[in-house]
Amino acid sequence: MFQTKPRVALFVTCLVDLYRPTVGFAAIRLLERAGCQVEVPATQTCCGQPAYNSGDRATAKDLARAVVDAFLGYDFVVAPSGSCAGMIAHHYPALFADDPDYRGRAEALAARTQELTAFLSDVMGVEAAAPPYDGVAAYHDSCSGLREMGVRDQPRRLLAGVPGLTVKELAERDVCCGFGGTFCVKYPDISARMVTDKVADIRASGADTLLAGDMGCLLNIAGRLRREGSEVRVRHVAEVLAGMTGDVPPIGEPRIDGAEDPRA
């Protein structure tokens, strides 16, 4: 497909960096396995979405400029998050619409930005089987991944190549879990009801594992499942596809040594 290895920059995301670094390492493994030359720009920072959604355009622009400067020179920018990818791909051009210095650069970066599973499936044509995972998984479609980045079938195609894994569909697989970034802070009662409904849907599916592609959704859902005493395992899809489920416990569960993992 490519004459040379595409040079791909991994946008790690804040939540992966702070709570689940394994997802970043899994993304690198998957990208390298697909034939990419992967780099992780050391100067990257937040994409600016929390500030943008809160109406703080000045801070959002400052953060976005740093992202543009760090990532523009690559063939592709890939994020293990539909939320951050959506911010860069869809909101950066509008954010810099009146900035002659950054408008063209933001548009160029937006055109090169991809969500991880969509990039692997649609751009790199990944079809090879992944390492085995014994379980029955339900997949949650995050709002930004689905509605902004068009991610729906791609993770399911990749998961179909995982030996031992059965994927069951949730009755309301594309309904918001209630996280919504700052939404869960502004409207905690509504958010709590939404994630309670999501957990009920997961339990009704009979799945023993919940997978998704956005850490915000995963942290929110894992928290509610654990508070309700559920044994459903929660993981980022990249961990399963990369065969790294043995490296870290499911999200929200204690480490293997029995201690609480502050990043899980």
Side-chain angles (χ1 to χ4, degrees):
M1 184 180 296
F2 294 95
Q3 295 300 316
T4 59
K5 287 187 176 183
R7 189 165 169 251
V8 173
L10 178 67
F11 188 85
V12 175
T13 84
C14 297
L15 293 181
V16 168
D17 181 37
L18 295 173
Y19 291 98
R20 198 71 168 182
T22 309
V23 173
F25 294 119
I28 292 172
R29 178 179 293 184
L30 290 168
L31 291 167
E32 290 182 339
R33 186 188 294 165
C36 301
Q37 176 187 335
V38 185
E39 298 180 34
V40 183
T43 57
Q44 65 179 288
T45 183
C46 176
C47 68
Q49 187 184 73
Y52 182 79
N53 289 343
S54 299
D56 185 356
R57 295 297 193 268
T59 298
K61 276 191 171 182
D62 286 343
L63 292 167
R65 287 190 190 97
V67 172
V68 172
D69 291 342
F71 285 89
L72 191 56
Y74 295 89
D75 296 324
F76 296 97
V77 176
V78 175
S81 161
S83 178
C84 296
M87 178 65 189
I88 298 170
H90 292 279
H91 299 293
Y92 275 21
L95 190 62
F96 291 111
D98 59 352
D99 187 329
D101 293 329
Y102 273 83
R103 178 176 179 176
R105 302 174 72 191
E107 291 173 346
L109 182 64
R112 302 175 193 176
T113 299
Q114 298 270 338
E115 184 273 341
L116 175 64
T117 61
F119 178 75
L120 292 171
S121 182
D122 297 342
V123 178
M124 299 306 297
V126 173
E127 296 180 353
Y133 181 86
D134 184 19
V136 178
Y139 195 89
H140 165 70
D141 294 300
S142 74
C143 294
S144 294
L146 176 65
R147 295 170 177 85
E148 291 187 337
M149 300 304 292
V151 179
R152 179 190 288 271
D153 296 332
Q154 301 94 327
R156 292 171 172 84
R157 285 199 296 265
L158 295 171
L159 289 169
V162 178
L165 177 66
T166 299
V167 178
K168 284 192 172 183
E169 295 295 350
L170 298 173
E172 298 185 334
R173 67 184 191 180
D174 57 358
V175 174
C176 180
C177 73
F179 179 71
T182 56
F183 176 87
C184 64
V185 178
K186 295 177 181 176
Y187 307 104
D189 293 340
I190 299 174
S191 175
R193 178 56 186 269
M194 293 172 74
V195 73
T196 298
D197 290 345
K198 176 62 65 174
V199 163
D201 195 12
I202 294 167
R203 286 183 154 182
S205 74
D208 57 47
T209 303
L210 186 281
L211 301 177
D214 269 275
M215 277 303 302
C217 301
L218 289 164
L219 289 167
N220 190 37
I221 295 170
R224 175 58 64 180
L225 282 166
R226 191 167 184 187
R227 285 191 291 274
E228 293 188 5
S230 173
E231 295 184 358
V232 173
R233 295 168 287 179
V234 178
R235 290 192 178 277
H236 193 287
V237 62
E239 295 176 343
V240 171
L241 294 173
M244 295 179 67
T245 57
D247 296 358
V248 65
I251 296 168
E253 294 189 11
R255 296 200 307 254
I256 296 173
D257 60 11
E260 291 288 337
D261 188 345
R263 302 176 305 179

